Amino acid sequence: MPRRPSISSFRAFSLDSSAPEALHRQLYEELRRAILSGRLAPGSRLPASREFASVSRISRNTVLTAYSQLLAEGYIESRAGSGTFVARAIPEIMVPETPQGPPEVSADSPGSRALSRRGTVISETPILRHPLRTVANAFRPGLPALDHFPMDIWRRLYDRRLRRASIRLLSYDDPQGYLPLREAIAAHLAASRGARCGPEHVVIVNGSQHGTDLSARVLLDRGDEVWFEEPGYFAARALFRSHSAVPVPVPVDSDGLVVTAGIERAPNARLVYTTPSHQNPLGVTLTLARRVALTKWAEEAGAWILEDDNASEYRYHGRPLAALQGIDPSNRVVYVGTFSKVMFSALRVGYVVAPTDLVPALVQARVLTDRQTPGLSQAVIADFMNEGHFARHLRRMRTLYAERLAALLRAVREHASDVLEVHEGEGGMSRVAWLPPGLDDVEVGAEVARAGIQCLPLAEYCSVPCERGGLILGFTGVDEAEIGTGIQRIAGCVRAVQARVQAPV
Ligand SMILES: Cc1ncc(COP(=O)(O)O)c(C=O)c1O
């Protein structure tokens, strides 16, 4: 059991109220350094905020803000009724290999080796507290059925383009993207998502994360607030943090993002990040009334809405709602889409659909960072779409995924109804498997990972502790047999953790 550090050791933290860095930021840095260096041992208890504030002669709010940042990043844990503790398992990516002392640097290396402030923020922004392995297996969220991708057709189209490759495809080309592909995307979005756009509004990017990054570059300044769905997609939250923007958690209920709560918490936000067609991870659809309220507020507040329409093509029940982009009267929506889920994730091609006045800035950001998406991939995707393969593949995958979802629900009913609760939902590629109330999803997730199964605890999507634990199960990349055995194994893990927690001490 780690010793409780004496309160006087916290008095030694050197906070400077005349420094440009805010006090809560200084305190956060000091505590983080102490945790990473081992000065504050894993599991040791931190003073209560009031006590800390009083011995350090700072405001309690300063302590609470520093604690909440450390909590969000996984350095500390709060246990209901018992206090705040240094996390027992600091994410591996954050722990330096040599915790004692600085690494060796050759004496003749010139100048400072320190990262810039910006570089430090980027390198220290974790995406996941407990990263997934790169190999794909059940139930990794967000993976399509890669083994069902029509590789023979893809190979044929690629070969044909290679044989006839024009010099243009091998050269630097339009950084906004290959025109026939932009035309195909605009037509697809108009027909399937009710988007109002032409090829001139489409910018081809390397996946939707890249589209979100470019949008953040041109729309956000350091310190700008961003409404962020709580729970919400962790990689987008980390991205905004890496731009020194401030994601403000806005709750999600069965009608989607709670717009009134956003207005209350951050009335001056500059951007709203939302996944309205299939909220990631809860899977709810933003209702029409909320869509109208959101676009109305954005117009009045002069804020932008970043609509991440990831996986919107997959809907198994209920009527799809048109994209926000298509109903926004004030043209303040930046729409981000991707081929990662409808073709394959390593393709790294996506698109941004932007209002006319934003397009030049986005294209310039694109040119400055990585110039363009590979021409050959763009041309082959355009062929894949224009020759009907895309629509056919999508139709087949919708049927397959609906079957896999049914298999998941069946497996839970037959093997895990005492420990998992999974709702049918309307679309998407993953489901929340709710745990029995009181069970810690990080602990269950670790047990499940030890059993060789990948999934993410809901806590990874939360910036404040969630009321009930859950596991996010991607079902689209897993065949029916594996779904059955996987659910049985997860159920075994949940029961094991439950038995441990309930065992008398
Ligand atoms: C909501 C959401 N946005 C973006 C992404 C990333 O997509 P891409 O591979 O296109 O960068 C994901 C991936 O799972 C996602 O779930």
Side-chain angles (χ1 to χ4, degrees), residues 67-373:
Y67 273 14
S68 94
Q69 179 78 19
L70 291 161
L71 196 66
E73 293 176 2
Y75 290 100
I76 63 175
E77 299 166 345
S78 110
R79 293 181 213 148
S82 34
T84 307
F85 298 82
V86 175
R88 278 157 299 192
I90 301 293
E92 261 174 36
I93 52 163
M94 296 182 187
V95 181
E97 275 174 23
T98 47
Q100 247 92 62
E104 291 289 325
V105 177
S106 110
D108 55 0
S109 58
S112 160
R113 295 170 52 84
L115 291 174
S116 64
R117 280 180 183 219
R118 184 184 163 77
T120 307
V121 171
I122 291 171
S123 71
E124 292 181 357
T125 302
I127 297 173
L128 285 173
R129 290 166 224 170
H130 304 277
L132 287 167
R133 283 172 285 146
T134 42
V135 287
N137 67 351
F139 289 90
R140 189 185 172 112
L143 267 192
L146 297 173
D147 52 342
H148 284 254
F149 184 71
M151 210 45 146
D152 47 339
I153 296 174
W154 187 247
R155 199 178 298 120
R156 185 159 50 73
L157 297 179
Y158 228 97
D159 280 353
R160 192 176 71 194
R161 277 285 173 177
L162 273 175
R163 260 184 279 119
R164 299 192 206 143
S166 67
I167 297 289
R168 187 170 161 204
L169 274 185
L170 303 182
S171 170
Y172 293 119
D173 206 348
D174 184 351
Q176 188 172 347
Y178 183 59
L179 182 58
L181 178 59
R182 289 194 277 123
E183 286 167 344
I185 290 170
H188 165 66
L189 292 179
S192 70
R193 305 292 301 121
R196 290 173 309 168
C197 63
E200 67 279 16
H201 303 109
V202 178
V203 182
I204 306 294
V205 294
N206 300 337
S208 47
Q209 184 78 358
H210 186 213
T212 304
D213 179 60
L214 293 181
S215 309
R217 277 169 195 271
V218 301
L219 296 176
L220 295 177
D221 286 316
R222 187 187 166 87
D224 278 347
E225 289 183 321
V226 176
W227 290 13
F228 202 87
E229 292 168 341
E230 177 73 24
Y233 180 49
F234 45 84
R237 183 191 289 115
L239 180 78
F240 291 125
R241 284 196 179 132
S242 79
H243 280 284
S244 295
V246 182
V248 177
V250 178
V252 174
D253 65 14
S254 57
D255 285 348
L257 183 79
V258 183
V259 177
T260 46
I263 297 173
E264 211 171 279
R265 292 181 187 187
N268 300 317
R270 178 110 172 101
L271 185 93
V272 176
Y273 171 85
T274 180
T275 51
S277 68
H278 179 81
Q279 202 273 336
N280 188 353
L282 299 182
V284 293
T285 306
L286 188 68
T287 59
L288 188 57
R290 292 258 176 102
R291 286 170 193 242
V292 171
L294 178 61
T295 52
K296 186 165 172 286
W297 170 79
E299 180 173 17
E300 286 162 11
W304 297 98
I305 300 170
L306 198 153
E307 176 176 24
D308 184 342
D309 212 28
N310 200 284
S312 62
E313 283 90 349
Y314 299 126
R315 201 168 178 95
Y316 318 112
H317 306 284
R319 248 165 39 101
L321 281 176
L324 265 179
Q325 195 273 354
I327 62 155
D328 171 30
S330 60
N331 219 4
R332 305 200 66 89
V333 175
V334 178
Y335 177 98
V336 176
T338 184
F339 290 103
S340 288
K341 315 294 173 181
V342 284
M343 291 177 71
F344 54 95
S345 325
L347 186 56
R348 306 313 307 145
V349 181
Y351 41 88
V352 178
V353 179
T356 312
D357 54 344
L358 281 191
V359 171
L362 284 167
V363 174
Q364 175 71 353
R366 174 87 266 218
V367 176
L368 286 170
T369 49
D370 79 335
R371 173 74 220 177
Q372 69 180 77
T373 297

Side-chain angles (χ1 to χ4, degrees), residues 2-69:
R3 277 196 309 133
R4 179 180 178 163
S6 83
I7 185 70
S8 58
S9 55
F10 292 92
R11 204 176 286 135
F13 281 16
S14 50
L15 305 184
D16 178 2
S17 58
S18 63
E21 194 88 302
L23 279 179
H24 66 80
R25 186 74 205 171
Q26 294 181 38
L27 180 59
Y28 156 84
E29 293 286 358
E30 287 272 359
L31 284 167
R32 204 177 60 85
R33 263 197 296 276
I35 292 170
L36 287 179
S37 68
R39 266 193 295 132
L40 284 176
S44 56
R45 187 195 186 117
L46 293 176
S49 55
R50 205 180 295 282
E51 190 185 10
F52 201 151
S54 131
V55 297
S56 319
R57 295 167 196 268
I58 51 179
S59 82
R60 185 163 170 241
N61 255 351
T62 302
V63 180
L64 285 173
T65 311
Y67 273 14
S68 94
Q69 179 78 19

